[in-house]
Amino acid sequence: MPARKAVVRSPIGLHARPAAAFVRAVTQTGFAVRISKAGRPAVDARSLLEVMTEDFDCGCEVELSIQSDLVPAGSGTRDADQVLDVLCALLDSQAG
């Protein structure tokens, strides 16, 4: 399962607009991305409700992952890696 660590940089964390922008970006990839933080189970990053209720605050380290058996048809591990790189960059650059 491809995975990457990132830090949430938005001053308000993944709440309201930053969460909506992140979830929209995840959904547009077509990949089933999961997001988690230490000590918590992963949640579906395509779900605004799940992302917002996990309380991913500013400075929080998260792990993004894609389950290998849920990679869209015609895509491979390389595509999944690229998706995770883009999503990590988004989390790292959000200003709120």
Side-chain angles (χ1 to χ4, degrees), residues 2-94:
R4 296 278 186 292
K5 295 211 185 257
V7 175
V8 176
R9 300 287 182 199
S10 169
I12 61 170
L14 284 182
H15 299 284
R17 286 187 185 144
F22 175 72
V23 168
R24 192 169 28 258
V26 170
T27 303
Q28 289 173 349
T29 70
F31 285 78
V33 178
R34 312 271 301 155
I35 184 171
S36 64
K37 64 181 180 179
R40 301 283 301 159
V43 298
D44 187 349
R46 299 168 297 179
S47 168
L48 182 58
L49 183 59
E50 287 187 37
V51 170
M52 288 183 63
T53 57
E54 276 302 302
D55 201 26
F56 297 113
D57 292 325
C58 180
C60 174
E61 183 179 65
V62 298
E63 181 174 87
L64 302 175
S65 60
I66 297 173
Q67 206 168 323
S68 298
D69 60 336
L70 295 179
V71 172
S75 299
T77 303
R78 186 177 189 177
D79 298 313
D81 285 335
Q82 290 176 340
V83 163
L84 291 176
D85 289 342
V86 168
L87 294 174
C88 285
L90 177 64
L91 289 175
D92 192 44
S93 69
Q94 281 190 343

